[in-house]
Amino acid sequence: MAQNVAGPEIERLIQLLARLPGLGPRSARRAALHLIKKRDTLLNPLSEAMRVANERIVVCSSCGNVDTSDPCTICRDPRRDASILVVVEDVSDLWALERSGAVNARYHVLGGVLSPLDGVRPEHLNLDRLVARASEPGVAEVILALNATVDGQTTAHYITELLAHLPVKVTRLAHGVPVGGELDYLDEGTLSAAIRQRTAF
């Protein structure tokens, strides 16, 4: 039976690090040990940055992005094309599209996708705000930049029906995004091509 080799504070640090995506127990132990060894140059600045982030980060009431101001930096940017609204599942997808530089529009973060198996229903997503934003004067196109998964495509169909009564063009990413793929894991070239080759949904 494995026993703890450090005090409870260090074990708690390891357990918390192990909850991060891509880190298992072994990787978390290595990361914790590295942080402890570099306490002055890494651990202390990291803990301070996390404290400040925890105090200042808010969710944008307009689009659902995370930032230190509400509305967020993207929503306040006057250079953005306000006629295009890009709908994404999560903030990580928004960041992926921004890294690609493929579109200079405004975004709308749903906060997930419809998933009957996981109990995610329409009322759990940021859909009411999406309809309100798509109804605003000047909005001409809604791009559904959702993951090419079954739940993502189901959500895209549902949104298309929700927006059918509005005078907006609803498009989706081209099929350059692989089925089963997630936007956050795609390279910038693939995302750029997918935005350029979007088709009517």
Side-chain angles (χ1 to χ4, degrees):
M1 180 173 159
Q3 296 191 2
N4 293 342
V5 295
E9 297 83 3
I10 295 174
E11 287 298 328
R12 175 152 169 74
L13 175 62
I14 292 168
Q15 290 169 5
L16 290 172
L17 287 171
R19 293 184 188 177
L20 295 173
L23 286 185
R26 283 186 178 177
S27 299
R29 285 193 181 282
R30 283 194 295 270
L33 189 56
H34 185 73
L35 287 169
I36 292 166
K37 285 180 180 178
K38 305 281 186 180
R39 183 181 301 183
D40 291 335
T41 59
L42 193 56
L43 182 59
N44 290 337
L46 178 63
S47 63
E48 176 62 15
M50 291 175 73
R51 184 191 64 77
V52 171
N54 185 50
E55 290 174 358
R56 298 186 186 170
I57 289 177
V58 294
V59 175
C60 178
S61 58
S62 180
C63 73
N65 187 21
V66 291
D67 203 338
T68 54
S69 61
D70 183 14
C72 71
T73 303
I74 292 175
C75 287
R76 286 184 287 121
D77 187 351
R79 297 166 297 178
R80 296 272 168 175
D81 185 350
S83 70
I84 300 175
L85 195 58
V86 182
V87 179
V88 294
E89 175 182 338
D90 196 39
V91 173
S92 62
D93 300 327
L94 184 158
W95 289 359
L97 285 168
E98 279 298 288
R99 281 195 312 270
S100 76
V103 64
N104 186 40
R106 301 199 186 278
Y107 292 92
H108 186 84
V109 180
L110 292 176
V113 287
L114 297 174
S115 178
L117 292 176
D118 296 324
V120 181
R121 298 187 300 274
E123 58 268 24
H124 296 129
L125 303 180
N126 194 8
L127 292 170
D128 290 341
R129 181 77 184 122
L130 171 61
V131 174
R133 293 183 74 199
S135 305
E136 291 173 358
V139 176
E141 181 180 5
V142 174
I143 302 174
L144 301 178
L146 301 176
N147 292 322
T149 59
V150 172
D151 290 340
Q153 295 310 297
T154 300
T155 306
H157 283 287
Y158 186 84
I159 291 172
T160 303
E161 291 176 9
L162 272 183
L163 302 180
H165 68 286
L166 297 175
V168 294
K169 179 168 73 169
V170 179
T171 59
R172 65 175 181 181
L173 295 184
H175 288 290
V177 177
V179 174
E182 294 186 10
L183 296 181
D184 195 36
Y185 295 103
L186 298 179
D187 63 282
E188 286 80 3
T190 301
L191 284 169
S192 294
I195 284 285
R196 284 194 307 273
Q197 299 168 23
R198 63 187 183 269
T199 57
F201 194 83

